[in-house]
Amino acid sequence: MKDETSIDNGGKSRHIILTSHPTGDQKPVPLKWGASSARERGPVVGTLGAGAQRNAIGAHSGSYALYRALAVASGSLSPEHIPDLTDTTPATRIGPNRQWYDAEKIVSLDPFGHTVTDSFAEHAEQGLDIRPTIAVTKARLTVPELLGEIDSGRLQPDGGILLETGEANVTKVAIEPVWYLPGVAKRFGTAEADLRRTLFEQTGGMFSELVTRPDLKVFLPPIGGITMYIFGALAAIADPARKVACRVHDECNGSDVFGSDICTCRPYLIHGIDGCIKTAQGNGVGIIVYNRKEGRALGEVTKFLVYNARKRQAGGDRADAYFERTECVAGVQDVRFQELMPDPLHWLGVTRIDRFISMSNMKYDAMVEQGIEIGERIAIPDEMIPEDAQVEMQAKKAAGYFSGEPAPAAEDLTDTRGRNLHDY
């Protein structure tokens, strides 16, 4: 369907092409999710210049697509720009793994998203603009706490994984979300049509193709992505004689970056990095999965509102009212929905985690449900929990989080108090 209204764009007249209804002219590139090879599967084509050949709803770059739109609107970026992908291929080989060819194992990312220049070279030669949705590079991390670990003797530099400077060498993977809608719907126990309609309605009608183009099965949602930091040899993942350590961490800018002490996020992240390094140094591999899901995916504004409500409620910030305050503000306790969380691990070929550095019952259940075997579960040590974070920790233990100890008694929850607002 085409809007015939002309608009002036730097002296040029052009039409706005609407996607609210199919025109009958669309010829999307065939896509068979879970096929036995990249060639049979076909590429995800989400570039706007692909026109009738597009087989994905939405735009590349996740939430950054809106910044790209601002760049185009301001005239600083040509809407016709095609990236030069020379020398951008992965810094280390990952895959293919058998999970890539199972339509139910990976539903929230494109398994071939890092190999598009090789896997779909034939399509590129035909002039199709196919963008990577995964990038793999090498990096060196500087984490100040690691120097303290070295000074105390808890970590030993080995010159490869951990240097004398306290820096750590890693393989770093960035992943943009690519949702295979039938698979996502099944993972959440809902009908695909219901999922599509709800996504359309709850984004204010942002993506009309969700409800008008049932032939398009892939959606590029405008949300944050995932970064993985891998310590040690990737080959250890497939070797049952070598250990795999993993921490799945959901973003917390206030703690992870700025060290806010109201939660355990940065201390637990550091504990996870420590465990990953030790496992990698023992001829294994350590994996940090970092999800952009700020404030339990409720957002940082909601999180700060909850902080205020907790601190101002009658009786102060108490463990027995921890989850209740979140639900009062947001209407729900948590929308991270760990059902999609195992997908990056499936992509790496992980079938077992020997040391799972997490207390979360939701993450554990999602892993097991998806067929990933969990060995040892590792809680955060008591000495790493900030005083003001005791409210969160006691509440989570009472809610079923793993700690290796009996759940707190009701009176312990009532007695666990956080700092008042006037104490800052």
Side-chain angles (χ1 to χ4, degrees):
M1 177 174 174
K2 184 181 292 186
D3 186 335
E4 300 297 336
T5 303
S6 297
I7 61 173
D8 194 318
N9 181 27
K12 295 182 180 180
S13 179
R14 61 189 179 95
H15 299 299
I16 298 175
I17 306 299
L18 300 180
T19 59
S20 54
H21 292 85
T23 63
D25 298 328
Q26 289 90 348
K27 296 180 180 178
V29 173
L31 186 65
K32 185 181 178 183
W33 203 266
S36 58
S37 67
R39 183 184 181 89
E40 184 183 357
R41 206 290 304 269
V44 172
V45 183
T47 45
L48 304 180
Q53 290 183 292
R54 273 170 47 93
N55 60 14
I57 302 165
H60 281 292
S61 301
S63 59
Y64 295 103
L66 299 182
Y67 288 103
R68 184 181 187 279
L70 288 177
V72 172
S74 67
S76 60
L77 174 65
S78 167
E80 298 176 356
H81 170 72
I82 297 177
D84 179 356
L85 298 176
T86 303
D87 294 332
T88 64
T89 52
T92 191
R93 182 183 178 88
I94 294 179
N97 296 305
R98 62 179 177 80
Q99 293 94 325
W100 294 18
Y101 310 114
D102 187 332
E104 295 186 2
K105 284 293 184 185
I106 298 178
V107 300
S108 61
L109 60 89
D110 178 7
F112 303 99
H114 59 313
T115 64
V116 296
T117 54
D118 296 327
S119 296
F120 308 112
E122 181 180 338
H123 293 82
E125 290 172 1
Q126 297 171 1
L128 205 55
D129 179 12
I130 306 169
R131 306 284 174 94
T133 56
I134 300 176
V136 183
T137 189
K138 295 281 190 176
R140 186 168 290 178
L141 303 185
T142 301
V143 182
E145 287 91 339
L146 294 183
L147 279 173
E149 293 286 278
I150 292 173
D151 290 341
S152 69
R154 288 189 292 269
L155 278 178
Q156 300 292 330
D158 58 85
I161 296 166
L162 182 64
L163 309 182
E164 292 281 352
T165 59
E167 298 167 297
N169 286 317
V170 296
T171 297
K172 188 161 63 171
V173 182
I175 301 174
E176 291 178 6
V178 178
W179 288 3
Y180 175 58
L181 292 170
V184 172
K186 185 171 183 178
R187 195 78 64 87
F188 283 91
T190 188
E192 181 188 344
D194 292 339
L195 173 66
R196 285 173 169 268
R197 177 168 182 154
T198 304
L199 289 170
F200 171 71
E201 292 177 341
Q202 295 301 314
T203 58
M206 187 180 291
F207 300 100
S208 58
E209 291 161 305
L210 285 167
V211 291
T212 63
R213 293 291 305 276
D215 59 314
L216 301 183
K217 299 296 184 181
V218 169
F219 177 41
L220 307 178
I223 60 174
I226 299 164
T227 308
M228 289 196 287
Y229 300 85
I230 305 166
F231 302 78
L234 284 158
I237 293 173
D239 187 346
R242 300 161 78 177
K243 300 292 186 183
V244 177
C246 177
R247 167 145 184 89
V248 177
H249 192 90
D250 295 322
E251 179 184 30
C252 178
N253 180 67
S255 179
D256 295 342
V257 179
F258 293 100
S260 172
D261 71 345
I262 197 172
C263 63
T264 60
C265 294
R266 183 177 176 88
Y268 218 159
L269 178 59
I270 299 302
H271 189 51
I273 292 172
D274 182 281
C276 285
I277 289 174
K278 287 178 179 177
T279 301
Q281 289 178 326
N283 198 32
V285 64
I287 306 165
I288 300 289
V289 182
Y290 194 90
N291 297 293
R292 290 334 189 279
K293 295 179 180 179
E294 179 68 58
R296 298 183 195 156
L298 296 167
E300 202 164 33
V301 169
T302 295
K303 180 161 73 171
F304 288 7
L305 294 174
V306 171
Y307 287 167
N308 286 345
R310 283 171 51 188
K311 301 293 183 180
R312 288 184 173 129
Q313 68 184 328
D317 187 10
R318 311 186 317 274
D320 65 329
Y322 174 79
F323 288 108
E324 182 183 348
R325 291 280 69 76
T326 300
E327 196 164 357
C328 285
V329 176
V332 65
Q333 292 181 5
D334 194 319
V335 293
R336 285 173 292 180
F337 295 118
Q338 303 296 351
E339 285 86 349
L340 301 177
M341 175 270 296
D343 286 18
L345 295 170
H346 285 319
W347 178 74
L348 286 176
V350 172
T351 58
R352 80 196 188 285
I353 296 172
D354 301 284
R355 296 167 181 158
F356 186 42
I357 309 168
S358 173
M359 296 170 69
S360 172
N361 52 342
M362 292 178 286
K363 292 174 183 175
Y364 174 84
D365 291 344
M367 294 274 201
V368 174
E369 178 69 23
Q370 281 294 303
I372 296 176
E373 181 183 345
I374 303 292
E376 181 184 9
R377 300 175 70 180
I378 301 174
I380 185 172
D382 289 339
E383 63 269 19
M384 294 186 73
I385 303 172
E387 182 179 357
D388 203 39
Q390 288 291 346
V391 171
E392 173 195 271
M393 186 52 59
Q394 291 294 93
K396 287 183 174 179
K397 288 179 180 179
Y401 276 49
F402 170 80
S403 67
E405 302 172 352
E411 57 269 22
D412 293 331
L413 296 179
T414 305
D415 292 341
T416 303
R417 305 295 176 93
R419 187 184 299 118
N420 292 317
L421 280 176
H422 58 69
D423 292 329
Y424 289 91

